[in-house]
Amino acid sequence: MRFRRRTRPARLLLALTLTPLLTGCFASAGEESGDATGERGPRLRVALAFPPAENLSPYGADATILSRLGVTEGLTALDANGSAAPALARSWQREGDRAWLFTLREATFQDGAAVTPARVAAALTHATEARPAPAALSGVTLTAEPAGGDRLRVTTDSPDPVLPLRLAGPALAVLSPKAYDTKGRADPVGTATGPFELTKVTGATAATLDRFDDYWGGLAHASGIDARFIADGTARTNALRTGQVDIAEAIPVAQAATLDAATRRETATTRTTGLQLNTSTGPFKDPKLRAAAREAVDTAALAKGVYESHADTGTGIYGPAVTWAAGKREQPVGRAKPTAPHGTAITLATYDNRPELPEVAQVLKQRLEKAGFAVELEVREYARIESDALAGRFDAFVVARNTLVDTGDPVAVLASDYTCDGGYNLALLCDKDVDRAVAKAERTADTSARQSAALAAEAGILGTDAVVPLVHQRIVTGVGTSVEGVLLDPYERTLVGTGTRR
């Protein structure tokens, strides 16, 4: 099965682990002890911040929802160190420069079909043909085919030294043949492989999941999950405080102090909140005005004021959770000198699913107006604003972006967000020097050299002022005192697993 994408060469950075399953893996896999007796524990009640934007399609932003609820999984997963760890594939080995041989574990889809190399190959084919395309496969040409017995061979048209890490992306979940229709759409209801089976979706308000008793990793303790999508952060916090839910993600920092200390869990994440400036149309096509906007921002005040010190001051695209970046970061290159705005009118937008963002935007509005811009502010729910943001209908957009969410590779976010062909290029940046720097990082196989190349590309991107890093977030999760085994990780891919119970 062969499929081709039209963007950039393969990209990945973090070191691979080609050994047996590591301890500390964040994925909801078999190392968590499930309920061996088969008894069904109480259902978990979970409040999520983001309603489905794409009808729970496994290919776009909703893929992370499915991953966090323990519905879907791929061939590999990310461990605590950001390395590739076994999931549906129990081991793998490289064959030359362009091929990898994966050995599958014995597993079953939630509709009863067996997980086989042919079905996994078909699932990967469907994923790469999806629109919107999964960011984890941007620019990659793959051949996936059975290799005899329980083995699957994946071949790339150019060397991809860390392909197993790429396959850990939430959007590359493996679904059964029944999931796919003739128009390329995929339905995860009852067709995934995770410990919890999605059985019902109620629009953008709720989802029902039941324990999947044939899960390869063992029985989950909880008998199921009742998930509610609550965009309002105060409402999520109140739901936890009043005992309506057991777990509430993304507690607003303004609400964190209202929770008992025993119910607050703070996790450093790889998520950076940034101000994306439209470099293609409108006032910020002028690099001097972009520089003026950057100069107007006080990132330390945002971290201390808006985030009440539950965030770190923005230092770059990668934050302190990307631990290797601190010693390798380069200074931005090629920045223009700022010019006075003289009342230049701009539109600034953001979304309210992450409750700090509207306040961040309001503070930015005040700072930009003080610098001489005339600012119109627009705030919507993310599902209602994403398409306009990607189409460049705003001059500036405040977004909280997990720099490792798509593949676990920091180079991937550079290609997706800041190159001419990038699929999530909110700044609409198209700079030949940036493209060359990102392409160089993508081609670099040695881990240390690839890190250096990534930070050289970051310096070039920051030099354009297409993005102003504001803060690096820490996420506060509300967890009921009776709940155990919640999976909190810096990549924000997991939340509940077989060991989560109350």
Side-chain angles (χ1 to χ4, degrees), residues 235-260:
R236 284 197 306 280
T237 306
N238 288 338
L240 181 79
R241 187 188 300 111
T242 58
Q244 298 176 55
V245 300
D246 305 304
I247 305 169
E249 69 171 5
I251 297 296
V253 294
Q255 297 290 320
T258 69
L259 295 177
D260 292 335

Side-chain angles (χ1 to χ4, degrees), residues 256-305:
T258 69
L259 295 177
D260 292 335
T263 64
R264 296 196 308 267
R265 310 283 180 85
E266 185 169 314
T267 310
T269 74
T270 55
R271 183 173 296 278
T272 295
T273 296
L275 176 65
Q276 303 280 343
L277 302 178
N278 185 342
T279 64
S280 178
T281 59
F284 288 131
K285 189 174 182 179
D286 182 351
K288 295 181 179 180
L289 284 176
R290 297 200 298 270
R294 168 180 43 85
E295 290 279 301
V297 175
D298 185 346
T299 58
L302 290 172
K304 185 176 180 180

Side-chain angles (χ1 to χ4, degrees), residues 278-496:
N278 185 342
T279 64
S280 178
T281 59
F284 288 131
K285 189 174 182 179
D286 182 351
K288 295 181 179 180
L289 284 176
R290 297 200 298 270
R294 168 180 43 85
E295 290 279 301
V297 175
D298 185 346
T299 58
L302 290 172
K304 185 176 180 180
V306 176
Y307 287 89
E308 301 180 13
S309 298
H310 291 287
D312 300 296
T313 300
T315 56
I317 294 171
Y318 312 122
V322 185
T323 55
W324 54 263
K328 293 175 175 282
R329 179 162 280 122
E330 300 183 14
Q331 291 298 313
V333 294
R335 276 179 167 165
K337 294 183 178 180
T339 189
H342 296 302
T344 299
I346 61 172
T347 57
L348 171 65
T350 192
Y351 47 98
D352 56 11
N353 303 76
R354 295 192 179 275
E356 295 80 22
L357 296 189
E359 187 176 352
V360 168
Q362 185 62 48
V363 173
L364 290 177
K365 179 178 186 293
Q366 295 170 1
R367 297 286 302 183
L368 290 168
E369 288 176 338
K370 185 177 180 180
F373 290 95
V375 184
E376 179 183 349
L377 178 61
E378 185 166 347
V379 179
R380 302 182 211 156
E381 187 177 306
Y382 184 80
R384 298 178 54 246
I385 205 169
E386 181 190 58
S387 60
D388 283 346
L390 289 170
R393 296 192 174 96
F394 308 114
D395 299 310
F397 192 71
V398 180
V399 62
R401 179 74 161 135
N402 191 324
T403 57
L404 300 182
V405 73
D406 294 325
T407 65
D409 169 30
V411 181
V413 76
L414 303 184
S416 174
D417 292 17
Y418 301 107
T419 63
C420 296
D421 293 329
Y424 199 69
N425 190 346
L426 293 167
L428 300 178
L429 180 65
C430 190
D431 182 287
K432 292 181 179 179
D433 290 337
V434 167
D435 276 23
R436 280 193 290 267
V438 174
K440 179 181 178 181
E442 292 175 322
R443 293 192 301 268
T444 305
D446 176 77
T447 297
S448 180
R450 191 177 178 98
Q451 291 172 348
S452 298
L455 288 174
E458 179 200 50
I461 293 165
L462 295 178
T464 69
D465 285 323
V467 58
V468 181
L470 302 175
V471 298
H472 307 294
Q473 290 183 240
R474 303 176 211 150
I475 298 299
V476 178
T477 305
V479 180
T481 55
S482 64
V483 178
E484 301 176 359
V486 176
L487 304 176
L488 303 177
D489 71 272
Y491 317 108
E492 301 179 75
R493 293 184 175 193
T494 62
L495 186 62
V496 296

Side-chain angles (χ1 to χ4, degrees), residues 123-189:
L124 290 177
T125 302
H126 283 294
T128 56
E129 293 173 347
R131 296 295 180 270
L137 290 181
S138 179
V140 179
T141 301
L142 298 176
T143 300
E145 57 188 3
D150 56 0
R151 296 178 299 173
L152 171 79
R153 180 173 289 107
V154 179
T155 305
T156 57
D157 67 335
S158 59
D160 192 0
V162 283
L163 178 69
L165 187 60
R166 179 189 302 281
L167 295 176
L172 298 184
V174 175
L175 303 179
S176 79
K178 291 183 179 179
Y180 308 101
D181 66 16
T182 57
K183 296 182 179 179
R185 293 171 299 201
D187 184 357
V189 175

Side-chain angles (χ1 to χ4, degrees), residues 51-52 201-207 227-230:
V201 180
T202 306
T205 61
R228 295 166 57 190
F229 301 105
I230 305 175

